[in-house]
Amino acid sequence: MKEKVEQIKSEALESISKAQNLKEMNEIKVTYLGKKGPISELTTHLKELDEGKKEFGKVLNELKTEISSKIEEKIKYYEEAEIREKLEKEQIDITLPGTKIPVGAPNILEKIIEEVESVFMSMGYDVVDGPEVEEDKFNFELLNIPKGHPARDAQDTFYLKEEEILLRSQTSPVQARTMLRAGGNTPIRMICPGKTYRRDDDDATHSHQFMQIEGLLVDKEVSLSDLKGTMDVVFKKLFGESCETRFRPSYYQFTEPSVETDISCFVCKGKGCSLCKNSGWITVSGAGIVHPNVLRNCGYDPSIWTGFAFGFGAERLAMLKYGINDIRTFYQTDLRELSVFDREEKDND
Ligand code: DAH
């Protein structure tokens, strides 16, 4: 028996000393201390002994204690080594650059529209909406452009149903809708930013879908100088205090007189450059005094009420403000382009 104990002891100690890792140690633990291991086997055997039970029991106990303490000691060593290794691997190098997470940024077109909205809201204007699928009546007829009128040709319209239903070619129909809704007896101040559509071939300055910002003011004794003052405030806000405005005579069916608003070139300050084509001025909107026919068509008595209206191209404003030379930039959703503008904005903040 004693020899057997010695043999188990030396084999166990040898295996323990040869073990290279935690896995091997756990296997040794099961082999020697498990239920089917040699020590357990000898313990069963012990019960069958007639003599020397006590003495042999003691020997077995010592064996078990020694082996298990050696095993636990080495297991502890490997467990600690494993933790140390893990900690070393997980050390944080604070000099490493962080992971850049791309974040969304407001579209610059949205931004300029919001800017225009906030200037007009500060002057008491409402921001209203209108349908993009529109009736011919609102898009043309109520605006003093009857069927067959040559002014229609200028707006290559997408018709959806037999010349009656169309994709609005301008945001001006919202003027008519707003006046009709107001009922002909209250003043109006509104702007309507929105999508418009024309059968244009897309190129650097044309897009079959673009954004306009329509504006309408109806009140008593409204004059061209009110319109001029309003344009002045808006463009100074958008392009800086030194920005001047001027009117040039123009023609629109729904306004009389009609004008084109120019702003002084903010690049060359009027001296002449490629942006303003050496004229010192840049055209930014169509506008005018609301035609009496339009007021009448929309329920306002032109002998009592007067008004002015205007229309901006939102992309044009954004292109001027951010120095973009291709309208398609807005619609190609190229995140790299957008992030450039986002950065420029942040730099300017
Ligand atoms: N709707 C015009 C266009 O698309 C722009 C415009 C000009 C709107 C004069 C107006 C205005 O309200 O008075 O070309």
Side-chain angles (χ1 to χ4, degrees):
M1 274 294 193
K2 270 214 168 116
E3 281 158 28
K4 184 88 181 152
V5 168
E6 281 307 314
Q7 192 197 344
I8 294 170
K9 185 174 163 180
S10 72
E11 274 176 18
L13 293 180
E14 197 187 340
S15 311
I16 293 168
S17 74
K18 276 189 185 158
Q20 303 275 346
N21 53 42
L22 193 58
K23 186 170 172 263
E24 282 176 24
M25 279 313 301
N26 280 327
E27 280 166 11
I28 292 170
K29 186 175 176 178
V30 173
T31 309
Y32 286 93
L33 302 176
K35 271 187 194 153
K36 290 178 186 159
I39 298 178
S40 168
E41 205 176 287
L42 283 184
T43 312
T44 320
H45 204 58
L46 177 73
K47 288 173 195 155
E48 293 157 9
L49 281 184
D50 296 332
E51 268 175 45
K53 239 186 200 175
K54 201 174 167 191
E55 189 196 339
F56 191 58
K58 199 175 157 214
V59 171
L60 265 187
N61 249 344
E62 279 168 9
L63 173 70
K64 198 172 174 181
T65 311
E66 187 177 354
I67 290 178
S68 88
S69 87
K70 285 261 163 24
I71 288 175
E72 289 310 328
E73 199 179 300
K74 202 154 180 189
I75 283 182
K76 195 169 166 219
Y77 168 80
Y78 280 125
E79 277 175 351
E80 282 174 2
E82 216 167 69
I83 291 172
R84 261 197 315 278
E85 197 185 332
K86 213 172 167 191
L87 281 178
E88 246 158 57
K89 264 196 212 149
E90 281 176 7
Q91 247 179 21
I92 297 168
D93 181 354
I94 53 164
T95 63
L96 281 177
T99 318
K100 230 184 161 200
I101 301 164
V103 286
N107 185 292
I108 39 176
L109 202 49
E110 285 290 309
K111 264 196 210 168
I112 203 130
I113 290 171
E114 275 171 20
E115 257 181 274
V116 174
E117 283 177 357
S118 81
V119 188
F120 278 102
M121 285 194 291
S122 74
M123 295 190 283
Y125 283 68
D126 291 328
V127 178
V128 305
D129 222 352
E132 287 170 34
V133 175
E134 186 54 284
E135 292 175 46
D136 181 278
K137 180 172 91 175
F138 293 105
N139 197 76
F140 291 125
E141 272 180 61
L142 293 174
L143 296 173
N144 204 28
I145 315 175
K147 286 217 165 71
H149 195 284
R152 288 188 176 219
D153 300 343
Q155 304 196 359
D156 262 335
T157 311
F158 283 109
Y159 280 93
L160 301 179
K161 204 174 145 202
E162 291 164 17
E163 310 259 311
E164 282 311 326
I165 307 294
L166 44 82
L167 290 180
R168 69 178 176 196
S169 58
Q170 48 186 354
T171 40
S172 304
V174 185
Q175 282 188 31
R177 286 183 173 275
T178 309
M179 281 191 263
L180 286 168
R181 212 181 307 126
N185 51 17
T186 49
I188 295 171
R189 282 182 201 197
M190 74 86 182
I191 60 162
C192 168
K195 286 187 190 135
T196 49
Y197 303 83
R198 287 187 197 174
R199 284 189 294 121
D200 270 333
D201 288 331
D202 293 354
D203 61 24
T205 53
H206 295 86
S207 170
H208 62 281
Q209 181 236 288
F210 56 102
M211 298 287 281
Q212 273 191 346
I213 306 172
E214 187 74 19
L216 172 72
L217 179 142
V218 177
D219 213 318
K220 290 170 185 162
E221 294 173 22
V222 177
S223 72
L224 212 51
S225 61
D226 295 321
L227 173 62
K228 176 78 162 54
T230 307
M231 295 294 108
D232 242 23
V233 170
V234 173
F235 291 110
K236 276 192 175 16
K237 252 296 185 293
L238 290 181
F239 294 101
E241 277 305 306
S242 61
C243 182
E244 307 266 343
T245 52
R246 77 171 184 189
F247 281 165
R248 270 183 304 108
S250 186
Y251 175 78
Y252 294 101
Q253 274 296 112
F254 31 88
T255 42
E256 179 56 37
S258 302
V259 295
E260 218 76 39
T261 313
D262 292 347
I263 57 169
S264 56
C265 182
F266 48 87
V267 172
C268 64
K269 308 278 179 234
K271 286 196 197 89
C273 68
S274 61
L275 181 68
C276 62
K277 301 199 181 77
N278 283 322
S279 69
W281 296 92
I282 302 164
T283 304
V284 282
S285 88
I289 295 296
V290 182
H291 198 291
N293 286 351
V294 176
L295 287 170
R296 201 176 296 113
N297 290 345
C298 301
Y300 276 80
D301 181 347
S303 67
I304 304 171
W305 299 94
T306 43
F308 63 68
F310 52 85
F312 306 139
E315 288 86 352
R316 180 155 169 77
L317 293 184
M319 284 165 85
L320 288 170
K321 183 155 177 165
Y322 295 102
I324 301 164
N325 50 20
D326 194 324
I327 194 170
R328 290 167 293 196
T329 308
F330 298 112
Y331 298 109
Q332 280 166 350
T333 58
D334 185 334
L335 291 179
R336 286 167 306 173
E337 304 242 23
L338 293 175
S339 69
V340 170
F341 295 117
D342 185 44
R343 243 178 289 138
E344 280 175 5
E345 278 288 285
K346 282 202 184 108
D347 291 347
N348 293 337
D349 281 347

